[in-house]
Amino acid sequence: MPEASQHEVVVVGAGPAGMASAACAAESGARVVLLDDNPYLGGQIWRGSEQDPAIREAAFWRERVRNAGVEVLCGTRVFDAPRPGLLLAETWTGVRSLSYSHLILATGARERFLPFPGWTLPNVMGAGGLQAMVKSGLPIDGKRVVIAGTGPLLLAVAAYLHSHGAKVCAIAEQASKPRLARFAARLITMPSKLAQAYRLKRQLSRVPYLTSCWPVAAHGSGYLQSVTLSRNRQSFDMACDYLACGFHLIANLELAALLGCRLERGVVAVDDLQQTSVAKVYCAGEPTGIGGVELAILEGQIAGFAAAGHNEKATRHLALRRRYTHFARAMERTFALRAELRNIADETLLCRCEDVSLGRVRAHRNWREAKLHTRCGMGPCQGRVCGGAASFLFGWQTESVRPPVFPAQVAHLAAYSEADESPIEELA
Amino acid sequence: MPDVTVRVNGQEVTVPSGTLVAAAIARAGVQCFRRSVRGEGRGPLCGMGICFECRATVNRVPHVRTCQRVCEPGMEITTDA
């Protein structure tokens, strides 16, 4: 029988947006529970911030979450929303159901990965992925790392790994120099971003930053030993222990889609108060458009106040949110992926769960057809990795979901259907 | 912070408290966490619980995403060969 509880506000995702919304809703008097599948608060960007007092913003929000009396449930993964007002989640020890009157989705983003020959070799990792692993105990001192892909995250990861003793051989940024220069000029209007960029540049003064450069192959027997990069129609090899790749971010939309929230241009559509198309369901942070930590915190505060019925407090943040949203859209244009990244040999694996090649997927007209015929996107990750690639490579819509949105143990799925007949109804 | 000792494929590994199982496996010198359906060696990719490439058997429970689990004293961790 699942453990059951009821709440005025349930927040899914304990990164910056989720922490800010949970704190604001609870400070406004609501009974709030904050869930995350990770073992600690902070999401990806504030991972490891408990040990790192330098991340003051994270400490500030952790304190507010605690003082406001938010109930925190880490290691809790939502896998179904069987009807309005009810979520089912799996924990390390069992399953629980949570009923809510207001729901805030702060499910964050993941890295976009693009396939190239050899990208499945051990030690080819996400850029944020490698950083997360190092923050969680992976030794990096003295290791040679090539960082490749696109977006400001590459610089942040490079600086972090460098400061932890890694030898960062190169940063390969697929965006062109003129585009980056236009973006840099815009930073002047955002002093906090400018200071951040300046700090990163100084930290990385000895690391080659190669623009219009991207990975075309990774090599190694059993695990990664080198990478081939392409630049100015030439390719060259670089020996390395880790290749950290990230082609900007894609929002985690699965739960929003499952709940029936309207999506527009690949993000969750929200109004001024972060309310989605579904009544009493709010969304904040990356799922409403990739925008970074400052925007996520602003949206989280707005959603938290609005969900607790304090619209007047929510509207105070609207002007600043507009500014950060404009900046985010400029960032999106700067780091838009170049067409050459689509030139990948047919035999390259696209789906890592089911080992399906790009050529087999390419032969189909859409994502659904490709899934049915090739099993692409049907493995445990449910297309979270190859779907992001397929949407760029083929222009397909890959957001279709059905429960469970995360693989759950059969016993846990069964526990709910037994409970469905009886006492869980009393919660409604 | 106190250290934690776990076993990776039978080999004892001592890691700082708070270390993730995935990092402990790497510290044991293991590069291949699992075999894909075609038999290719795979290791962690996303580091945040999404890609399922880092799964291994932890305390006899198969398919645990090791990037989401913190090491506990005496944990038995087994990867695919």
mmCIF file of all heavy atoms in Angstrom, chain A residues 9-35 41 61-73 103-106 284 296-297 299-308:
data_model
loop_
_atom_site.group_PDB
_atom_site.id
_atom_site.type_symbol
_atom_site.label_atom_id
_atom_site.label_comp_id
_atom_site.label_asym_id
_atom_site.label_seq_id
_atom_site.Cartn_x
_atom_site.Cartn_y
_atom_site.Cartn_z
ATOM 1 N N VAL A 9 0.496 22.831 -1.598
ATOM 2 C CA VAL A 9 1.359 23.062 -2.757
ATOM 3 C C VAL A 9 2.412 21.956 -2.828
ATOM 4 O O VAL A 9 3.115 21.703 -1.855
ATOM 5 C CB VAL A 9 2.069 24.438 -2.670
ATOM 6 C CG1 VAL A 9 3.001 24.637 -3.868
ATOM 7 C CG2 VAL A 9 1.054 25.583 -2.601
ATOM 8 N N VAL A 10 2.479 21.313 -3.976
ATOM 9 C CA VAL A 10 3.565 20.373 -4.226
ATOM 10 C C VAL A 10 4.482 20.987 -5.280
ATOM 11 O O VAL A 10 4.005 21.476 -6.305
ATOM 12 C CB VAL A 10 3.033 19.003 -4.706
ATOM 13 C CG1 VAL A 10 4.168 18.128 -5.207
ATOM 14 C CG2 VAL A 10 2.295 18.296 -3.575
ATOM 15 N N VAL A 11 5.786 21.013 -4.999
ATOM 16 C CA VAL A 11 6.760 21.526 -5.957
ATOM 17 C C VAL A 11 7.602 20.344 -6.421
ATOM 18 O O VAL A 11 8.182 19.632 -5.604
ATOM 19 C CB VAL A 11 7.678 22.593 -5.322
ATOM 20 C CG1 VAL A 11 8.659 23.131 -6.360
ATOM 21 C CG2 VAL A 11 6.849 23.727 -4.719
ATOM 22 N N VAL A 12 7.667 20.133 -7.741
ATOM 23 C CA VAL A 12 8.472 19.037 -8.277
ATOM 24 C C VAL A 12 9.756 19.611 -8.867
ATOM 25 O O VAL A 12 9.721 20.374 -9.829
ATOM 26 C CB VAL A 12 7.708 18.244 -9.357
ATOM 27 C CG1 VAL A 12 8.575 17.104 -9.885
ATOM 28 C CG2 VAL A 12 6.400 17.711 -8.802
ATOM 29 N N GLY A 13 10.870 19.267 -8.235
ATOM 30 C CA GLY A 13 12.169 19.772 -8.688
ATOM 31 C C GLY A 13 12.739 20.752 -7.685
ATOM 32 O O GLY A 13 12.128 21.771 -7.388
ATOM 33 N N ALA A 14 13.904 20.429 -7.108
ATOM 34 C CA ALA A 14 14.482 21.259 -6.040
ATOM 35 C C ALA A 14 15.750 21.967 -6.492
ATOM 36 O O ALA A 14 16.707 22.104 -5.741
ATOM 37 C CB ALA A 14 14.738 20.416 -4.796
ATOM 38 N N GLY A 15 15.744 22.442 -7.736
ATOM 39 C CA GLY A 15 16.803 23.341 -8.192
ATOM 40 C C GLY A 15 16.430 24.765 -7.807
ATOM 41 O O GLY A 15 15.548 24.973 -6.956
ATOM 42 N N PRO A 16 17.110 25.763 -8.384
ATOM 43 C CA PRO A 16 16.830 27.154 -8.032
ATOM 44 C C PRO A 16 15.355 27.543 -8.145
ATOM 45 O O PRO A 16 14.796 28.148 -7.220
ATOM 46 C CB PRO A 16 17.679 27.938 -9.030
ATOM 47 C CG PRO A 16 18.822 27.022 -9.346
ATOM 48 C CD PRO A 16 18.259 25.636 -9.309
ATOM 49 N N ALA A 17 14.689 27.188 -9.246
ATOM 50 C CA ALA A 17 13.273 27.564 -9.410
ATOM 51 C C ALA A 17 12.401 26.884 -8.361
ATOM 52 O O ALA A 17 11.538 27.523 -7.748
ATOM 53 C CB ALA A 17 12.781 27.199 -10.810
ATOM 54 N N GLY A 18 12.646 25.604 -8.120
ATOM 55 C CA GLY A 18 11.836 24.862 -7.156
ATOM 56 C C GLY A 18 12.048 25.342 -5.735
ATOM 57 O O GLY A 18 11.095 25.491 -4.965
ATOM 58 N N MET A 19 13.319 25.609 -5.371
ATOM 59 C CA MET A 19 13.595 26.087 -4.014
ATOM 60 C C MET A 19 12.963 27.460 -3.782
ATOM 61 O O MET A 19 12.362 27.710 -2.738
ATOM 62 C CB MET A 19 15.111 26.147 -3.774
ATOM 63 C CG MET A 19 15.740 24.761 -3.623
ATOM 64 S SD MET A 19 17.544 24.796 -3.717
ATOM 65 C CE MET A 19 17.958 25.411 -2.084
ATOM 66 N N ALA A 20 13.090 28.346 -4.800
ATOM 67 C CA ALA A 20 12.520 29.696 -4.649
ATOM 68 C C ALA A 20 11.004 29.613 -4.546
ATOM 69 O O ALA A 20 10.393 30.289 -3.706
ATOM 70 C CB ALA A 20 12.938 30.576 -5.831
ATOM 71 N N SER A 21 10.369 28.771 -5.362
ATOM 72 C CA SER A 21 8.910 28.724 -5.324
ATOM 73 C C SER A 21 8.429 28.079 -4.021
ATOM 74 O O SER A 21 7.460 28.552 -3.418
ATOM 75 C CB SER A 21 8.339 28.023 -6.555
ATOM 76 O OG SER A 21 8.836 26.721 -6.653
ATOM 77 N N ALA A 22 9.110 27.041 -3.570
ATOM 78 C CA ALA A 22 8.696 26.391 -2.321
ATOM 79 C C ALA A 22 8.817 27.363 -1.155
ATOM 80 O O ALA A 22 7.915 27.468 -0.314
ATOM 81 C CB ALA A 22 9.553 25.150 -2.071
ATOM 82 N N ALA A 23 9.941 28.100 -1.105
ATOM 83 C CA ALA A 23 10.147 29.049 -0.008
ATOM 84 C C ALA A 23 9.073 30.134 -0.031
ATOM 85 O O ALA A 23 8.463 30.440 1.004
ATOM 86 C CB ALA A 23 11.542 29.665 -0.107
ATOM 87 N N CYS A 24 8.814 30.706 -1.205
ATOM 88 C CA CYS A 24 7.844 31.812 -1.285
ATOM 89 C C CYS A 24 6.432 31.342 -0.958
ATOM 90 O O CYS A 24 5.680 32.049 -0.284
ATOM 91 C CB CYS A 24 7.892 32.477 -2.663
ATOM 92 S SG CYS A 24 9.428 33.371 -2.928
ATOM 93 N N ALA A 25 6.066 30.153 -1.431
ATOM 94 C CA ALA A 25 4.725 29.647 -1.130
ATOM 95 C C ALA A 25 4.583 29.368 0.368
ATOM 96 O O ALA A 25 3.573 29.718 0.981
ATOM 97 C CB ALA A 25 4.453 28.377 -1.937
ATOM 98 N N ALA A 26 5.613 28.769 0.967
ATOM 99 C CA ALA A 26 5.532 28.438 2.392
ATOM 100 C C ALA A 26 5.564 29.699 3.256
ATOM 101 O O ALA A 26 4.847 29.799 4.257
ATOM 102 C CB ALA A 26 6.674 27.497 2.775
ATOM 103 N N GLU A 27 6.377 30.686 2.859
ATOM 104 C CA GLU A 27 6.418 31.951 3.609
ATOM 105 C C GLU A 27 5.068 32.667 3.542
ATOM 106 O O GLU A 27 4.742 33.466 4.410
ATOM 107 C CB GLU A 27 7.520 32.868 3.040
ATOM 108 C CG GLU A 27 8.923 32.398 3.425
ATOM 109 C CD GLU A 27 10.015 33.028 2.562
ATOM 110 O OE1 GLU A 27 9.693 33.892 1.720
ATOM 111 O OE2 GLU A 27 11.188 32.626 2.729
ATOM 112 N N SER A 28 4.297 32.365 2.502
ATOM 113 C CA SER A 28 2.967 32.958 2.366
ATOM 114 C C SER A 28 1.915 32.164 3.120
ATOM 115 O O SER A 28 0.724 32.427 3.000
ATOM 116 C CB SER A 28 2.575 33.046 0.891
ATOM 117 O OG SER A 28 3.560 33.715 0.148
ATOM 118 N N GLY A 29 2.343 31.136 3.838
ATOM 119 C CA GLY A 29 1.416 30.407 4.712
ATOM 120 C C GLY A 29 0.941 29.074 4.186
ATOM 121 O O GLY A 29 0.177 28.379 4.867
ATOM 122 N N ALA A 30 1.378 28.682 2.977
ATOM 123 C CA ALA A 30 0.896 27.405 2.433
ATOM 124 C C ALA A 30 1.677 26.227 3.017
ATOM 125 O O ALA A 30 2.823 26.379 3.425
ATOM 126 C CB ALA A 30 1.016 27.408 0.911
ATOM 127 N N ARG A 31 1.028 25.071 3.062
ATOM 128 C CA ARG A 31 1.712 23.844 3.453
ATOM 129 C C ARG A 31 2.339 23.255 2.197
ATOM 130 O O ARG A 31 1.652 22.887 1.254
ATOM 131 C CB ARG A 31 0.683 22.875 4.062
ATOM 132 C CG ARG A 31 1.319 21.852 4.945
ATOM 133 C CD ARG A 31 0.310 20.984 5.684
ATOM 134 N NE ARG A 31 0.941 19.685 5.810
ATOM 135 C CZ ARG A 31 0.464 18.572 5.315
ATOM 136 N NH1 ARG A 31 -0.686 18.563 4.666
ATOM 137 N NH2 ARG A 31 1.117 17.444 5.443
ATOM 138 N N VAL A 32 3.694 23.209 2.195
ATOM 139 C CA VAL A 32 4.409 22.915 0.955
ATOM 140 C C VAL A 32 5.298 21.692 1.106
ATOM 141 O O VAL A 32 5.978 21.521 2.109
ATOM 142 C CB VAL A 32 5.307 24.115 0.558
ATOM 143 C CG1 VAL A 32 6.029 23.841 -0.761
ATOM 144 C CG2 VAL A 32 4.491 25.396 0.447
ATOM 145 N N VAL A 33 5.305 20.855 0.069
ATOM 146 C CA VAL A 33 6.293 19.784 0.005
ATOM 147 C C VAL A 33 7.105 19.968 -1.274
ATOM 148 O O VAL A 33 6.578 20.359 -2.314
ATOM 149 C CB VAL A 33 5.634 18.383 0.087
ATOM 150 C CG1 VAL A 33 4.738 18.103 -1.109
ATOM 151 C CG2 VAL A 33 6.693 17.297 0.196
ATOM 152 N N LEU A 34 8.421 19.755 -1.140
ATOM 153 C CA LEU A 34 9.350 19.954 -2.259
ATOM 154 C C LEU A 34 10.010 18.608 -2.565
ATOM 155 O O LEU A 34 10.650 18.007 -1.698
ATOM 156 C CB LEU A 34 10.395 20.999 -1.840
ATOM 157 C CG LEU A 34 11.580 21.285 -2.756
ATOM 158 C CD1 LEU A 34 11.135 21.799 -4.116
ATOM 159 C CD2 LEU A 34 12.502 22.326 -2.087
ATOM 160 N N LEU A 35 9.829 18.126 -3.806
ATOM 161 C CA LEU A 35 10.350 16.802 -4.193
ATOM 162 C C LEU A 35 11.516 16.928 -5.142
ATOM 163 O O LEU A 35 11.559 17.832 -5.961
ATOM 164 C CB LEU A 35 9.312 16.000 -4.988
ATOM 165 C CG LEU A 35 7.872 15.926 -4.582
ATOM 166 C CD1 LEU A 35 7.129 15.091 -5.616
ATOM 167 C CD2 LEU A 35 7.779 15.285 -3.225
ATOM 168 N N LEU A 41 19.206 18.820 -2.153
ATOM 169 C CA LEU A 41 18.631 20.037 -2.713
ATOM 170 C C LEU A 41 19.642 20.713 -3.651
ATOM 171 O O LEU A 41 20.839 20.496 -3.516
ATOM 172 C CB LEU A 41 18.324 21.044 -1.597
ATOM 173 C CG LEU A 41 17.128 20.806 -0.684
ATOM 174 C CD1 LEU A 41 17.023 21.986 0.290
ATOM 175 C CD2 LEU A 41 15.852 20.684 -1.481
ATOM 176 N N TRP A 61 18.936 30.381 -0.388
ATOM 177 C CA TRP A 61 17.632 29.757 -0.648
ATOM 178 C C TRP A 61 17.435 28.496 0.188
ATOM 179 O O TRP A 61 16.320 28.167 0.597
ATOM 180 C CB TRP A 61 17.456 29.476 -2.143
ATOM 181 C CG TRP A 61 17.131 30.749 -2.873
ATOM 182 C CD1 TRP A 61 17.956 31.482 -3.671
ATOM 183 C CD2 TRP A 61 15.888 31.469 -2.807
ATOM 184 N NE1 TRP A 61 17.314 32.609 -4.117
ATOM 185 C CE2 TRP A 61 16.043 32.626 -3.608
ATOM 186 C CE3 TRP A 61 14.666 31.267 -2.155
ATOM 187 C CZ2 TRP A 61 15.024 33.569 -3.778
ATOM 188 C CZ3 TRP A 61 13.647 32.200 -2.328
ATOM 189 C CH2 TRP A 61 13.830 33.332 -3.130
ATOM 190 N N ARG A 62 18.516 27.771 0.476
ATOM 191 C CA ARG A 62 18.388 26.584 1.321
ATOM 192 C C ARG A 62 17.886 26.989 2.702
ATOM 193 O O ARG A 62 17.003 26.356 3.285
ATOM 194 C CB ARG A 62 19.721 25.840 1.411
ATOM 195 C CG ARG A 62 19.533 24.395 1.819
ATOM 196 C CD ARG A 62 20.784 23.554 1.854
ATOM 197 N NE ARG A 62 21.544 23.635 0.632
ATOM 198 C CZ ARG A 62 22.689 24.283 0.502
ATOM 199 N NH1 ARG A 62 23.227 24.921 1.530
ATOM 200 N NH2 ARG A 62 23.320 24.302 -0.636
ATOM 201 N N GLU A 63 18.456 28.083 3.199
ATOM 202 C CA GLU A 63 18.060 28.640 4.494
ATOM 203 C C GLU A 63 16.576 29.035 4.482
ATOM 204 O O GLU A 63 15.831 28.736 5.416
ATOM 205 C CB GLU A 63 18.940 29.879 4.735
ATOM 206 C CG GLU A 63 18.781 30.528 6.073
ATOM 207 C CD GLU A 63 19.644 29.867 7.139
ATOM 208 O OE1 GLU A 63 20.380 28.919 6.794
ATOM 209 O OE2 GLU A 63 19.551 30.297 8.295
ATOM 210 N N ARG A 64 16.157 29.704 3.408
ATOM 211 C CA ARG A 64 14.752 30.133 3.335
ATOM 212 C C ARG A 64 13.810 28.934 3.259
ATOM 213 O O ARG A 64 12.739 28.951 3.877
ATOM 214 C CB ARG A 64 14.541 31.067 2.130
ATOM 215 C CG ARG A 64 14.807 32.516 2.513
ATOM 216 C CD ARG A 64 14.606 33.464 1.378
ATOM 217 N NE ARG A 64 13.201 33.689 1.015
ATOM 218 C CZ ARG A 64 12.831 34.657 0.168
ATOM 219 N NH1 ARG A 64 13.731 35.446 -0.368
ATOM 220 N NH2 ARG A 64 11.559 34.811 -0.135
ATOM 221 N N VAL A 65 14.206 27.912 2.506
ATOM 222 C CA VAL A 65 13.378 26.700 2.413
ATOM 223 C C VAL A 65 13.223 26.087 3.804
ATOM 224 O O VAL A 65 12.126 25.725 4.231
ATOM 225 C CB VAL A 65 14.012 25.684 1.429
ATOM 226 C CG1 VAL A 65 13.404 24.301 1.591
ATOM 227 C CG2 VAL A 65 13.855 26.162 -0.009
ATOM 228 N N ARG A 66 14.332 26.032 4.549
ATOM 229 C CA ARG A 66 14.306 25.422 5.875
ATOM 230 C C ARG A 66 13.463 26.264 6.846
ATOM 231 O O ARG A 66 12.580 25.749 7.517
ATOM 232 C CB ARG A 66 15.738 25.271 6.403
ATOM 233 C CG ARG A 66 15.822 24.386 7.631
ATOM 234 C CD ARG A 66 17.243 24.008 8.014
ATOM 235 N NE ARG A 66 18.202 25.065 7.737
ATOM 236 C CZ ARG A 66 19.309 24.896 7.031
ATOM 237 N NH1 ARG A 66 19.593 23.735 6.501
ATOM 238 N NH2 ARG A 66 20.141 25.900 6.841
ATOM 239 N N ASN A 67 13.725 27.561 6.877
ATOM 240 C CA ASN A 67 13.029 28.428 7.825
ATOM 241 C C ASN A 67 11.535 28.516 7.563
ATOM 242 O O ASN A 67 10.752 28.762 8.471
ATOM 243 C CB ASN A 67 13.640 29.840 7.809
ATOM 244 C CG ASN A 67 15.045 29.837 8.383
ATOM 245 O OD1 ASN A 67 15.443 28.886 9.048
ATOM 246 N ND2 ASN A 67 15.804 30.885 8.109
ATOM 247 N N ALA A 68 11.153 28.350 6.284
ATOM 248 C CA ALA A 68 9.729 28.465 5.947
ATOM 249 C C ALA A 68 8.967 27.188 6.291
ATOM 250 O O ALA A 68 7.752 27.143 6.160
ATOM 251 C CB ALA A 68 9.576 28.790 4.460
ATOM 252 N N GLY A 69 9.696 26.150 6.716
ATOM 253 C CA GLY A 69 9.022 24.909 7.109
ATOM 254 C C GLY A 69 8.570 24.054 5.934
ATOM 255 O O GLY A 69 7.607 23.281 6.049
ATOM 256 N N VAL A 70 9.275 24.175 4.816
ATOM 257 C CA VAL A 70 8.958 23.328 3.659
ATOM 258 C C VAL A 70 9.359 21.889 3.983
ATOM 259 O O VAL A 70 10.442 21.650 4.513
ATOM 260 C CB VAL A 70 9.748 23.811 2.420
ATOM 261 C CG1 VAL A 70 9.570 22.841 1.245
ATOM 262 C CG2 VAL A 70 9.340 25.226 2.036
ATOM 263 N N GLU A 71 8.484 20.958 3.666
ATOM 264 C CA GLU A 71 8.857 19.542 3.821
ATOM 265 C C GLU A 71 9.627 19.114 2.580
ATOM 266 O O GLU A 71 9.145 19.285 1.458
ATOM 267 C CB GLU A 71 7.591 18.696 3.991
ATOM 268 C CG GLU A 71 7.891 17.247 4.279
ATOM 269 C CD GLU A 71 6.640 16.353 4.269
ATOM 270 O OE1 GLU A 71 5.512 16.889 4.246
ATOM 271 O OE2 GLU A 71 6.813 15.127 4.268
ATOM 272 N N VAL A 72 10.840 18.606 2.768
ATOM 273 C CA VAL A 72 11.702 18.256 1.635
ATOM 274 C C VAL A 72 11.781 16.742 1.486
ATOM 275 O O VAL A 72 12.075 16.036 2.447
ATOM 276 C CB VAL A 72 13.121 18.842 1.833
ATOM 277 C CG1 VAL A 72 14.051 18.395 0.711
ATOM 278 C CG2 VAL A 72 13.068 20.366 1.910
ATOM 279 N N LEU A 73 11.492 16.251 0.291
ATOM 280 C CA LEU A 73 11.593 14.813 0.019
ATOM 281 C C LEU A 73 12.574 14.593 -1.129
ATOM 282 O O LEU A 73 12.214 14.694 -2.303
ATOM 283 C CB LEU A 73 10.225 14.239 -0.367
ATOM 284 C CG LEU A 73 9.090 14.345 0.655
ATOM 285 C CD1 LEU A 73 7.787 13.847 0.050
ATOM 286 C CD2 LEU A 73 9.425 13.567 1.912
ATOM 287 N N LEU A 103 0.064 22.765 -7.903
ATOM 288 C CA LEU A 103 1.286 22.055 -8.280
ATOM 289 C C LEU A 103 2.222 23.022 -9.005
ATOM 290 O O LEU A 103 1.784 23.779 -9.873
ATOM 291 C CB LEU A 103 0.933 20.888 -9.207
ATOM 292 C CG LEU A 103 2.095 20.076 -9.781
ATOM 293 C CD1 LEU A 103 2.853 19.349 -8.681
ATOM 294 C CD2 LEU A 103 1.564 19.057 -10.800
ATOM 295 N N ILE A 104 3.494 23.016 -8.619
ATOM 296 C CA ILE A 104 4.492 23.829 -9.334
ATOM 297 C C ILE A 104 5.518 22.885 -9.950
ATOM 298 O O ILE A 104 6.149 22.097 -9.248
ATOM 299 C CB ILE A 104 5.181 24.831 -8.389
ATOM 300 C CG1 ILE A 104 4.140 25.783 -7.772
ATOM 301 C CG2 ILE A 104 6.246 25.636 -9.157
ATOM 302 C CD1 ILE A 104 4.691 26.721 -6.719
ATOM 303 N N LEU A 105 5.654 22.952 -11.263
ATOM 304 C CA LEU A 105 6.619 22.122 -11.977
ATOM 305 C C LEU A 105 7.908 22.915 -12.148
ATOM 306 O O LEU A 105 7.916 23.978 -12.771
ATOM 307 C CB LEU A 105 6.077 21.736 -13.355
ATOM 308 C CG LEU A 105 4.737 20.995 -13.348
ATOM 309 C CD1 LEU A 105 4.226 20.829 -14.774
ATOM 310 C CD2 LEU A 105 4.889 19.647 -12.664
ATOM 311 N N ALA A 106 8.972 22.416 -11.546
ATOM 312 C CA ALA A 106 10.282 23.073 -11.683
ATOM 313 C C ALA A 106 11.273 21.973 -12.027
ATOM 314 O O ALA A 106 12.231 21.723 -11.311
ATOM 315 C CB ALA A 106 10.649 23.787 -10.383
ATOM 316 N N ALA A 284 7.908 26.806 -13.633
ATOM 317 C CA ALA A 284 8.942 27.824 -13.443
ATOM 318 C C ALA A 284 10.301 27.262 -13.819
ATOM 319 O O ALA A 284 10.553 26.066 -13.665
ATOM 320 C CB ALA A 284 8.960 28.284 -11.981
ATOM 321 N N ALA A 296 15.393 31.576 -13.503
ATOM 322 C CA ALA A 296 14.705 30.479 -12.824
ATOM 323 C C ALA A 296 14.259 30.915 -11.425
ATOM 324 O O ALA A 296 13.136 30.619 -10.995
ATOM 325 C CB ALA A 296 15.619 29.257 -12.733
ATOM 326 N N ILE A 297 15.122 31.642 -10.717
ATOM 327 C CA ILE A 297 14.780 32.094 -9.363
ATOM 328 C C ILE A 297 13.602 33.081 -9.413
ATOM 329 O O ILE A 297 12.673 33.010 -8.607
ATOM 330 C CB ILE A 297 16.006 32.730 -8.670
ATOM 331 C CG1 ILE A 297 17.071 31.654 -8.412
ATOM 332 C CG2 ILE A 297 15.611 33.409 -7.368
ATOM 333 C CD1 ILE A 297 18.403 32.203 -7.934
ATOM 334 N N GLU A 299 11.259 33.343 -11.765
ATOM 335 C CA GLU A 299 10.036 32.617 -12.108
ATOM 336 C C GLU A 299 9.555 31.770 -10.948
ATOM 337 O O GLU A 299 8.349 31.647 -10.715
ATOM 338 C CB GLU A 299 10.281 31.720 -13.335
ATOM 339 C CG GLU A 299 10.531 32.504 -14.596
ATOM 340 C CD GLU A 299 10.574 31.638 -15.848
ATOM 341 O OE1 GLU A 299 10.390 30.402 -15.738
ATOM 342 O OE2 GLU A 299 10.770 32.192 -16.927
ATOM 343 N N GLY A 300 10.494 31.197 -10.204
ATOM 344 C CA GLY A 300 10.130 30.391 -9.042
ATOM 345 C C GLY A 300 9.402 31.235 -7.999
ATOM 346 O O GLY A 300 8.370 30.826 -7.460
ATOM 347 N N GLN A 301 9.914 32.435 -7.753
ATOM 348 C CA GLN A 301 9.269 33.311 -6.767
ATOM 349 C C GLN A 301 7.858 33.674 -7.213
ATOM 350 O O GLN A 301 6.911 33.644 -6.416
ATOM 351 C CB GLN A 301 10.098 34.580 -6.576
ATOM 352 C CG GLN A 301 11.450 34.299 -5.939
ATOM 353 C CD GLN A 301 12.288 35.570 -5.813
ATOM 354 O OE1 GLN A 301 12.156 36.315 -4.854
ATOM 355 N NE2 GLN A 301 13.127 35.813 -6.798
ATOM 356 N N ILE A 302 7.728 34.004 -8.508
ATOM 357 C CA ILE A 302 6.405 34.380 -9.026
ATOM 358 C C ILE A 302 5.433 33.205 -8.869
ATOM 359 O O ILE A 302 4.317 33.362 -8.361
ATOM 360 C CB ILE A 302 6.519 34.811 -10.515
ATOM 361 C CG1 ILE A 302 7.343 36.109 -10.619
ATOM 362 C CG2 ILE A 302 5.140 34.993 -11.139
ATOM 363 C CD1 ILE A 302 7.792 36.466 -12.024
ATOM 364 N N ALA A 303 5.874 32.008 -9.270
ATOM 365 C CA ALA A 303 5.005 30.830 -9.181
ATOM 366 C C ALA A 303 4.644 30.523 -7.731
ATOM 367 O O ALA A 303 3.495 30.185 -7.426
ATOM 368 C CB ALA A 303 5.697 29.628 -9.818
ATOM 369 N N GLY A 304 5.616 30.642 -6.838
ATOM 370 C CA GLY A 304 5.379 30.334 -5.422
ATOM 371 C C GLY A 304 4.346 31.265 -4.810
ATOM 372 O O GLY A 304 3.402 30.819 -4.150
ATOM 373 N N PHE A 305 4.508 32.563 -5.047
ATOM 374 C CA PHE A 305 3.531 33.538 -4.512
ATOM 375 C C PHE A 305 2.167 33.322 -5.141
ATOM 376 O O PHE A 305 1.136 33.352 -4.459
ATOM 377 C CB PHE A 305 4.012 34.972 -4.775
ATOM 378 C CG PHE A 305 5.140 35.404 -3.866
ATOM 379 C CD1 PHE A 305 6.308 35.950 -4.384
ATOM 380 C CD2 PHE A 305 5.025 35.270 -2.486
ATOM 381 C CE1 PHE A 305 7.347 36.351 -3.555
ATOM 382 C CE2 PHE A 305 6.058 35.678 -1.639
ATOM 383 C CZ PHE A 305 7.220 36.218 -2.181
ATOM 384 N N ALA A 306 2.143 33.111 -6.466
ATOM 385 C CA ALA A 306 0.858 32.956 -7.158
ATOM 386 C C ALA A 306 0.131 31.701 -6.669
ATOM 387 O O ALA A 306 -1.078 31.734 -6.410
ATOM 388 C CB ALA A 306 1.076 32.894 -8.666
ATOM 389 N N ALA A 307 0.866 30.594 -6.501
ATOM 390 C CA ALA A 307 0.233 29.346 -6.064
ATOM 391 C C ALA A 307 -0.338 29.497 -4.659
ATOM 392 O O ALA A 307 -1.332 28.858 -4.302
ATOM 393 C CB ALA A 307 1.238 28.197 -6.111
ATOM 394 N N ALA A 308 0.279 30.363 -3.841
ATOM 395 C CA ALA A 308 -0.203 30.580 -2.477
ATOM 396 C C ALA A 308 -1.254 31.689 -2.428
ATOM 397 O O ALA A 308 -1.688 32.089 -1.349
ATOM 398 C CB ALA A 308 0.973 30.910 -1.566
#
